[in-house]
């Protein structure tokens, strides 16, 4: 069952700050910074707050790359139904909405992530729906969409295998499937087509380097 603090919105506002991501300065998101409590949060502190690891509080390179690509190439999503898998902060969903998508659904199994994504959308005047369903546990190629986007989903072996299989199931139905990845350990470029490449500034505390080369890939129907 999802863990949530007593007042999720108040928790986010109290423990993060509105900041502009490096690659998407058009937006401001509620993010962890070195000056707010959640940046130094320990596992025991999160447990006390009834909060899962706050991946939503960081704008990861894969999501930033997808967002930048959509803002620069709005025809990819304009007038189309977009679903954003493992949406985190919602930055990719925001970019799709700003680029003129007919509808956008931000999905994440972390309920607090969806609260943060909604607050981020409100802070930037963009609207989208949210879903806490476990899409990987559902049927292949579901839910229905025209465009599927995902950023930074290859950080664990099992997650990477399941996510890529699910993304490819959408590609086999003729949908545009975009994956943003900065070269995570379990990423493989097999069956992918490079669309764009960015150098994205990152935090040394998160990435152990000050810059991540991040690629937007099109997922092809077959490996």
């Amino acid at each position: 069952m999802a863990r949530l603090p007593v007042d999720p919105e108040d928790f986010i506002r109290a423990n993060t700050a509105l900041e502009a991501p490096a690659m998407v300065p058009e937006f401001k998101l509620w993010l962890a910074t070195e000056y707010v409590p959640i940046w130094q949060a320990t596992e025991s502190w999160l447990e006390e707050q009834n909060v899962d690891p706050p991946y939503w509080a960081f704008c990861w390179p894969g999501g930033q790359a997808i967002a930048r690509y959509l803002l620069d190439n709005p025809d990819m999503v304009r007038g189309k139904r977009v679903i954003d898998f493992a949406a985190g902060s919602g930055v990719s969903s925001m970019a799709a909405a700003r680029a003129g998508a007919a509808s956008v659904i931000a999905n994440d199994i972390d309920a607090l992530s969806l609260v943060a994504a909604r607050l981020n959308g409100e802070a930037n005047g963009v609207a989208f729906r949210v879903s806490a369903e476990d899409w990987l546990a559902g049927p292949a190629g579901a839910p229905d969409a025209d465009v599927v986007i995902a950023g930074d989903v290859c950080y664990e072996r099992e997650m990477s295998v399941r996510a890529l299989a699910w993304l490819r199931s959408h590609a086999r139905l003729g949908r545009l499937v975009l994956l943003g990845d900065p070269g995570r350990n379990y990423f493989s470029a097999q069956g992918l087509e490079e669309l764009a490449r960015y150098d994205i500034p990152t935090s040394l505390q998160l990435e152990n380097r000050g810059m991540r080369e991040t690629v937007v890939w099109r997922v092809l129907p077959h490996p």
Side-chain angles (χ1 to χ4, degrees), residues 122-134:
E122 290 175 358
N124 293 275
V126 293
F128 47 83
R129 294 162 53 200
V130 298
S131 167
E133 292 181 36
D134 184 355

Side-chain angles (χ1 to χ4, degrees), residues 62-77:
Q64 287 196 58
I66 291 286
R68 181 74 268 153
Y69 183 75
L70 294 181
L71 290 173
D72 292 343
N73 300 273
D75 288 346
M76 290 289 187
V77 293

Side-chain angles (χ1 to χ4, degrees), residues 24-156:
V24 200
E26 294 92 333
F27 296 141
K28 284 195 173 182
L29 283 68
W30 291 99
L31 299 174
T33 75
E34 296 177 30
Y35 309 105
V36 295
I38 207 167
W39 180 267
Q40 300 291 345
T42 63
E43 189 173 344
S44 59
W45 186 86
L46 293 170
E47 186 78 31
E48 290 172 5
Q49 304 297 317
N50 200 38
V51 174
D52 292 315
Y55 298 117
W56 51 265
F58 303 93
C59 199
W60 301 94
Q64 287 196 58
I66 291 286
R68 181 74 268 153
Y69 183 75
L70 294 181
L71 290 173
D72 292 343
N73 300 273
D75 288 346
M76 290 289 187
V77 293
R78 184 178 291 127
K80 298 177 181 176
R81 300 165 301 154
V82 178
I83 57 174
D84 182 6
F85 170 69
S89 68
V91 67
S92 300
S93 294
M94 291 164 53
R98 179 70 60 84
S103 65
V104 181
I105 300 176
N107 167 262
D108 205 292
I109 58 173
D110 180 352
L112 191 55
S113 169
L114 298 181
V115 177
R118 182 174 52 78
L119 288 178
N120 289 334
E122 290 175 358
N124 293 275
V126 293
F128 47 83
R129 294 162 53 200
V130 298
S131 167
E133 292 181 36
D134 184 355
W135 286 351
L136 297 186
D144 195 14
D146 301 311
V147 181
V148 183
I149 55 179
D152 269 298
V153 296
C154 297
Y155 52 87
E156 293 177 351

